[in-house]
């Protein structure tokens, strides 16, 4: 790996605040922020558009034929492209979340997205967030952080976020969805969600966003300025 390129892997369960704090920490450090969940969401949206049952592994694998999924970075912001079309909004619906969780268990989908993620990290100092970045995608990342918080706290945060967006949802429903996705993501056979052995676990249940951003930038500086 080019010495000047620094890769920071941030993994953790749904709703731990990974994207918010990763984006802000990347900005502070002058790194590119790469949200890999967007890639799985895009494959999920493509499957939904094609009317495919996202739990049918073979059918999902078949949707990858000839499809193009890509990320573009403009002024530090990530745009997600499906066959060249910007789907950054469409991938954020609850249906896309569940479809993403389903398709992410399909080995062909993980293999399909692997090279793209590796290529971006090879070319850019970045904070890449996901579920298997420190364990599978970037096992040589200089910094690995596992960001977590209790399911209840994560549901509370997601509710506040949805409320702000003008699309409020019941706390019980949000909590149930988080528990279901946690279960799916950590029990799948391939690349299950788990902390990297050589990573730092950061429990954010009792921390506010600013404190988490500071903790992350401090960990990155500590590990890379030696
Ligand atoms: O982080 P997110 O909610 O946007 O992720 C959507 C889904 O994609 C999530 O259920 C788990 C999956 N995912 C994954 O398996 N591996 C990644 N590196 C990122 C996301």
């Amino acid at each position: 790996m080019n010495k000047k390129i620094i890769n920071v892997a941030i993994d953790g369960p749904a709703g731990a605040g990974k994207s918010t704090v990763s984006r802000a920490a990347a900005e502070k450090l002058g790194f590119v922020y790469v949200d890999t969940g967007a890639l799985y969401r895009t494959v999920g949206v493509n499957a939904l558009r094609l009317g495919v049952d996202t739990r049918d592994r073979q059918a999902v694998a078949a949707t990858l034929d000839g499809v193009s999924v890509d990320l573009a970075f403009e002024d530090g912001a990530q745009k997600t492209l499906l066959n060249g079309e910007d789907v950054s909004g469409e991938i954020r619906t609850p249906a896309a979340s569940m479809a993403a969780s389903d398709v992410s268990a399909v080995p062909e989908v993980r293999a399909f997205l692997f090279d793209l993620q590796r290529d971006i990290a090879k070319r850019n100092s970045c904070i890449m967030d996901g579920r298997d970045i420190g364990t599978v995608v970037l096992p040589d990342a200089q910094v690995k952080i596992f960001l977590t918080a209790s399911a209840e706290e994560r549901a509370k945060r997601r509710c506040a976020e949805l409320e702000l967006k003008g699309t409020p949802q019941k706390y019980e429903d949000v909590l149930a969805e988080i528990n279901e996705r946690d279960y799916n993501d950590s029990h799948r056979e391939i690349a299950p969600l788990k902390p990297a052995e050589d990573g730092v676990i950061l429990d954010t249940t009792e921390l506010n966003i600013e404190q988490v951003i500071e903790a992350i930038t401090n960990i990155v500086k500590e590990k890379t300025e030696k």
Side-chain angles (χ1 to χ4, degrees), residues 11-15 18-19 35-41 91-92 96-105 110 117 129-133 137 158 181-182 184-185 188 190-191:
D11 293 301
K18 291 190 303 289
S19 58
D35 164 15
T36 63
L39 300 172
Y40 292 90
R41 288 170 177 271
I91 60 170
R92 298 296 158 195
S97 299
M98 286 318 292
S101 185
D102 287 344
V103 304
S104 69
R110 306 204 73 85
Q117 298 170 80
D129 88 21
R131 302 294 189 286
D132 62 338
I133 307 305
V137 178
R158 180 120 312 168
R181 281 218 283 154
D182 277 1
N184 277 351
D185 295 346
R188 66 181 175 222
I190 181 165

Side-chain angles (χ1 to χ4, degrees), residues 94 97-98 158 169 172-182:
S97 299
M98 286 318 292
R158 180 120 312 168
Q169 275 183 48
E172 290 73 22
D173 294 346
V174 174
L175 181 61
E177 196 216 308
I178 280 185
N179 279 325
E180 189 180 341
R181 281 218 283 154
D182 277 1

